[in-house]
Amino acid sequence: MLIRAGEPVAVPTETVYGLAADATDSQAVAGIYSAKGRPSFNPLIVHVADMEMARRLADFSPQAEQLAARFWPGALTMVLPVRADSGLSPLVMAGLPTVALRLPAHPAMRALIRESGRPLAAPSANRSGSISPSRAEHVLASLNGKIRMILDEGPTSEGLESTIAAPEADRIRLLRPGPVTAAMLEEASGLPVITGLDSKAGNAKIEAPGQLESHYAPSKPVRLN
């Protein structure tokens, strides 16, 4: 299997097609960055098959457990403190003390995680800076010659990257908008949702995917009148 051999594979989730590789293998994770042309300071989302796998990788607060119970499997990624014994490649976290975790709903991605027996790092399967792919042919157009396999399961249902949130004791920080809205997070947690970087801690560094000044952009010309 290509995943066990340390190679990235394009696979659908319910949000967009992801470029998946073994999150415990630094060489495999480096292959994701290389294929995408992605800057190494931009962390990756790690996909898990179930809560048992998730709890082996990160520390879950009561607030995180509450959100997982409501939105997993699904289109919510949570940024949580990484466990010292997680076994994850440091490249996944890009030097941060946190890891971005998601339990996806798509059967193809879940099956790939279970079959490989590994948590899978999987950013969108496209060249860095371009539109995220919602069909296998989009992946082929963007990464042709960069990867050896695309699992084609048709178009994704959401077509939009996952919401990223950092649950805290007294609030939830929304780091990237997506299918799970701020209103949905507030309703599920009973906590206020704030948007953006952590001004409380004077923190202006990248904490999660999608926070670069330019995350993705269409390649079509635009004219402003």
Side-chain angles (χ1 to χ4, degrees), residues 1 4 8 16 34 39-40 49 64 73 81-82 108-109 197 208-209 218:
M1 185 188 232
R4 291 200 188 119
V16 297
S34 174
S40 60
V82 67
M109 179 58 120
L197 297 171

mmCIF file of all heavy atoms in Angstrom, residues 1 4 8 16 34 39-40 49 64 73 81-82 108-109 197 208-209 218:
data_model
loop_
_atom_site.group_PDB
_atom_site.id
_atom_site.type_symbol
_atom_site.label_atom_id
_atom_site.label_comp_id
_atom_site.label_asym_id
_atom_site.label_seq_id
_atom_site.Cartn_x
_atom_site.Cartn_y
_atom_site.Cartn_z
ATOM 1 N N MET A 1 0.837 -1.190 0.000
ATOM 2 C CA MET A 1 0.000 0.000 0.000
ATOM 3 C C MET A 1 0.882 1.255 0.000
ATOM 4 O O MET A 1 1.865 1.336 0.729
ATOM 5 C CB MET A 1 -0.893 -0.012 1.247
ATOM 6 C CG MET A 1 -1.894 1.125 1.285
ATOM 7 S SD MET A 1 -2.742 1.191 2.869
ATOM 8 C CE MET A 1 -4.422 1.210 2.317
ATOM 9 N N ARG A 4 1.534 3.019 3.447
ATOM 10 C CA ARG A 4 2.527 2.340 4.310
ATOM 11 C C ARG A 4 3.931 2.488 3.754
ATOM 12 O O ARG A 4 4.914 2.423 4.497
ATOM 13 C CB ARG A 4 2.168 0.865 4.457
ATOM 14 C CG ARG A 4 0.907 0.639 5.281
ATOM 15 C CD ARG A 4 0.840 -0.784 5.819
ATOM 16 N NE ARG A 4 -0.455 -1.033 6.431
ATOM 17 C CZ ARG A 4 -1.315 -1.957 6.033
ATOM 18 N NH1 ARG A 4 -1.027 -2.724 4.992
ATOM 19 N NH2 ARG A 4 -2.449 -2.125 6.650
ATOM 20 N N PRO A 8 2.276 9.927 -0.541
ATOM 21 C CA PRO A 8 0.969 10.578 -0.427
ATOM 22 C C PRO A 8 -0.012 10.068 -1.480
ATOM 23 O O PRO A 8 0.374 9.728 -2.591
ATOM 24 C CB PRO A 8 1.284 12.067 -0.644
ATOM 25 C CG PRO A 8 2.566 12.091 -1.405
ATOM 26 C CD PRO A 8 3.304 10.817 -1.094
ATOM 27 N N VAL A 16 -13.333 18.474 0.850
ATOM 28 C CA VAL A 16 -12.614 18.531 -0.427
ATOM 29 C C VAL A 16 -11.736 17.281 -0.531
ATOM 30 O O VAL A 16 -11.623 16.510 0.417
ATOM 31 C CB VAL A 16 -11.732 19.811 -0.532
ATOM 32 C CG1 VAL A 16 -12.596 21.062 -0.490
ATOM 33 C CG2 VAL A 16 -10.669 19.851 0.562
ATOM 34 N N SER A 34 6.171 18.849 -0.333
ATOM 35 C CA SER A 34 6.868 18.935 -1.613
ATOM 36 C C SER A 34 5.888 18.910 -2.787
ATOM 37 O O SER A 34 5.980 19.718 -3.712
ATOM 38 C CB SER A 34 7.866 17.782 -1.721
ATOM 39 O OG SER A 34 8.457 17.751 -2.994
ATOM 40 N N PRO A 39 4.473 25.973 2.157
ATOM 41 C CA PRO A 39 5.496 26.410 3.111
ATOM 42 C C PRO A 39 5.490 25.546 4.373
ATOM 43 O O PRO A 39 4.419 25.179 4.872
ATOM 44 C CB PRO A 39 5.106 27.863 3.431
ATOM 45 C CG PRO A 39 3.693 28.015 2.983
ATOM 46 C CD PRO A 39 3.462 27.010 1.901
ATOM 47 N N SER A 40 6.673 25.219 4.880
ATOM 48 C CA SER A 40 6.786 24.258 5.984
ATOM 49 C C SER A 40 6.322 24.814 7.326
ATOM 50 O O SER A 40 6.168 24.060 8.285
ATOM 51 C CB SER A 40 8.237 23.780 6.106
ATOM 52 O OG SER A 40 9.081 24.883 6.364
ATOM 53 N N ALA A 49 -9.635 7.917 12.550
ATOM 54 C CA ALA A 49 -10.757 7.035 12.225
ATOM 55 C C ALA A 49 -11.821 7.016 13.313
ATOM 56 O O ALA A 49 -12.978 6.695 13.058
ATOM 57 C CB ALA A 49 -10.247 5.610 11.993
ATOM 58 N N ALA A 64 -13.696 20.394 24.256
ATOM 59 C CA ALA A 64 -13.355 19.670 23.032
ATOM 60 C C ALA A 64 -14.191 18.395 22.908
ATOM 61 O O ALA A 64 -14.665 18.050 21.822
ATOM 62 C CB ALA A 64 -11.865 19.349 23.007
ATOM 63 N N PRO A 73 -18.412 12.331 13.439
ATOM 64 C CA PRO A 73 -17.642 12.648 12.237
ATOM 65 C C PRO A 73 -18.267 13.826 11.493
ATOM 66 O O PRO A 73 -19.489 13.941 11.449
ATOM 67 C CB PRO A 73 -17.722 11.372 11.396
ATOM 68 C CG PRO A 73 -18.535 10.383 12.163
ATOM 69 C CD PRO A 73 -19.131 11.060 13.334
ATOM 70 N N PRO A 81 -4.037 20.676 22.293
ATOM 71 C CA PRO A 81 -2.660 20.408 22.741
ATOM 72 C C PRO A 81 -2.233 18.993 22.336
ATOM 73 O O PRO A 81 -2.938 18.022 22.617
ATOM 74 C CB PRO A 81 -2.745 20.528 24.268
ATOM 75 C CG PRO A 81 -3.996 21.313 24.539
ATOM 76 C CD PRO A 81 -4.939 20.980 23.425
ATOM 77 N N VAL A 82 -1.091 18.898 21.661
ATOM 78 C CA VAL A 82 -0.620 17.581 21.212
ATOM 79 C C VAL A 82 -0.031 16.818 22.389
ATOM 80 O O VAL A 82 0.611 17.403 23.275
ATOM 81 C CB VAL A 82 0.408 17.738 20.057
ATOM 82 C CG1 VAL A 82 1.696 18.395 20.537
ATOM 83 C CG2 VAL A 82 0.694 16.394 19.392
ATOM 84 N N ALA A 108 -14.597 6.739 2.303
ATOM 85 C CA ALA A 108 -13.315 6.413 1.651
ATOM 86 C C ALA A 108 -12.134 6.814 2.529
ATOM 87 O O ALA A 108 -11.180 6.044 2.707
ATOM 88 C CB ALA A 108 -13.228 7.102 0.287
ATOM 89 N N MET A 109 -12.191 8.011 3.099
ATOM 90 C CA MET A 109 -11.110 8.467 3.977
ATOM 91 C C MET A 109 -11.058 7.642 5.259
ATOM 92 O O MET A 109 -9.989 7.240 5.707
ATOM 93 C CB MET A 109 -11.292 9.957 4.297
ATOM 94 C CG MET A 109 -10.221 10.527 5.223
ATOM 95 S SD MET A 109 -8.529 10.361 4.582
ATOM 96 C CE MET A 109 -8.036 12.077 4.505
ATOM 97 N N LEU A 197 -6.951 35.465 15.151
ATOM 98 C CA LEU A 197 -5.794 35.074 15.937
ATOM 99 C C LEU A 197 -5.997 35.460 17.396
ATOM 100 O O LEU A 197 -6.869 36.250 17.737
ATOM 101 C CB LEU A 197 -4.528 35.731 15.379
ATOM 102 C CG LEU A 197 -4.169 35.317 13.947
ATOM 103 C CD1 LEU A 197 -3.043 36.189 13.405
ATOM 104 C CD2 LEU A 197 -3.757 33.859 13.894
ATOM 105 N N ALA A 208 -3.009 27.444 12.455
ATOM 106 C CA ALA A 208 -3.783 26.409 11.772
ATOM 107 C C ALA A 208 -3.766 26.681 10.284
ATOM 108 O O ALA A 208 -3.475 27.797 9.853
ATOM 109 C CB ALA A 208 -5.231 26.430 12.295
ATOM 110 N N PRO A 209 -4.071 25.668 9.475
ATOM 111 C CA PRO A 209 -4.161 25.895 8.026
ATOM 112 C C PRO A 209 -5.201 26.970 7.706
ATOM 113 O O PRO A 209 -6.167 27.148 8.434
ATOM 114 C CB PRO A 209 -4.606 24.535 7.487
ATOM 115 C CG PRO A 209 -4.229 23.552 8.538
ATOM 116 C CD PRO A 209 -4.337 24.275 9.844
ATOM 117 N N PRO A 218 -8.477 31.999 -7.071
ATOM 118 C CA PRO A 218 -8.753 31.526 -8.429
ATOM 119 C C PRO A 218 -7.627 31.929 -9.376
ATOM 120 O O PRO A 218 -6.942 32.931 -9.158
ATOM 121 C CB PRO A 218 -10.045 32.246 -8.811
ATOM 122 C CG PRO A 218 -10.571 32.867 -7.564
ATOM 123 C CD PRO A 218 -9.426 33.018 -6.628
#
